[in-house]
């Protein structure tokens, strides 16, 4: 299941050259061409899924173990001090290429990246209302 005009389908399936650091039958892991930090990589399924909502359960089950494996490799080989695992869904959330992918972003002291969220201040009643809405 591939989409003809999807650049990530073409990269994942070897039609466009990439700096591949891992590949198996279902995934290709490449270095990002516009990295946030040294070693920033992308996990690309070879099959096309627009986003998390379209991702098959079978593929989803394989993503986190692969992210762990690649994160450990990046940490050991590049000596980063931490790692952000990032996955965006839809334009409002920052998705720019509509082929499911996971970012592995190594973190270093003074890397000048700020991927920290600003928490909302919700009361207990507001949190309860959100929970209740989700449980309906």
């Amino acid at each position: 299941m591939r989409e003809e005009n999807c650049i990530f389908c073409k990269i994942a399936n070897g039609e466009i050259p990439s700096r591949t650091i891992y590949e198996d039958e279902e995934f290709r892991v490449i270095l990002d061409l516009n990295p946030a930090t040294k070693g920033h990589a992308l996990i690309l399924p070879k099959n096309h899924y627009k986003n998390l909502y379209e991702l098959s359960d079978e593929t989803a089950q394989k993503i986190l173990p692969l992210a762990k494996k690649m994160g450990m490799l990046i940490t050991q080989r590049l000596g980063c001090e931490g790692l952000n695992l990032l996955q965006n869904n839809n334009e409002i959330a920052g998705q720019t290429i509509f082929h499911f992918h996971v970012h592995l972003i190594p973190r270093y002291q003074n890397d000048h990246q700020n991927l920290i969220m600003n928490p909302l201040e919700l009361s207990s009643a507001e949190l309860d209302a959100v929970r209740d809405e989700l449980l309906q």
Side-chain angles (χ1 to χ4, degrees), residues 96-112:
T96 57
I97 297 183
F98 295 91
H99 178 111
F100 175 89
H101 58 285
V102 176
H103 294 261
L104 298 164
I105 305 172
R107 299 307 304 271
Y108 306 92
Q109 285 294 324
N110 301 314
D111 64 17
H112 306 291

Side-chain angles (χ1 to χ4, degrees), residues 5 21 51-52 80-81 134:
N5 295 320
I21 59 173
N51 53 35
L52 178 69
C80 61
E81 299 172 57
L134 290 171

Side-chain angles (χ1 to χ4, degrees), residues 14-135:
E15 296 171 38
I16 295 175
S18 64
R19 289 178 177 84
T20 300
I21 59 173
Y22 175 85
E23 181 179 12
D24 63 24
E25 291 180 5
E26 297 182 61
F27 300 97
R28 183 180 295 257
V29 182
I30 65 169
L31 292 179
D32 194 307
L33 287 178
N34 298 297
T37 63
K38 177 184 169 185
H40 179 171
L42 303 175
I43 299 174
L44 306 175
K46 290 184 176 181
N47 285 324
H48 184 82
Y49 305 97
K50 180 181 175 185
N51 53 35
L52 178 69
Y53 310 119
E54 293 185 2
L55 191 65
S56 74
D57 288 347
E58 180 182 327
T59 300
Q61 290 174 0
K62 297 173 183 175
I63 295 284
L64 200 52
L66 180 55
K68 178 183 175 185
K69 175 180 180 174
M70 298 311 302
M72 290 175 69
L73 174 78
I74 290 167
T75 299
Q76 291 168 354
R77 300 278 173 87
L78 299 182
C80 61
E81 299 172 57
L83 182 86
N84 286 110
L85 191 63
L86 179 67
Q87 200 280 310
N88 302 317
N89 296 283
N90 294 331
E91 190 173 345
I92 190 74
Q95 186 177 11
T96 57
I97 297 183
F98 295 91
H99 178 111
F100 175 89
H101 58 285
V102 176
H103 294 261
L104 298 164
I105 305 172
R107 299 307 304 271
Y108 306 92
Q109 285 294 324
N110 301 314
D111 64 17
H112 306 291
Q113 294 298 326
N114 184 11
L115 302 175
I116 308 302
M117 290 180 246
N118 297 315
L120 294 174
E121 293 184 23
L122 296 179
S123 68
S124 291
E126 290 169 315
L127 288 170
D128 288 345
V130 171
R131 180 204 55 217
D132 294 346
E133 189 173 352
L134 290 171
L135 293 175

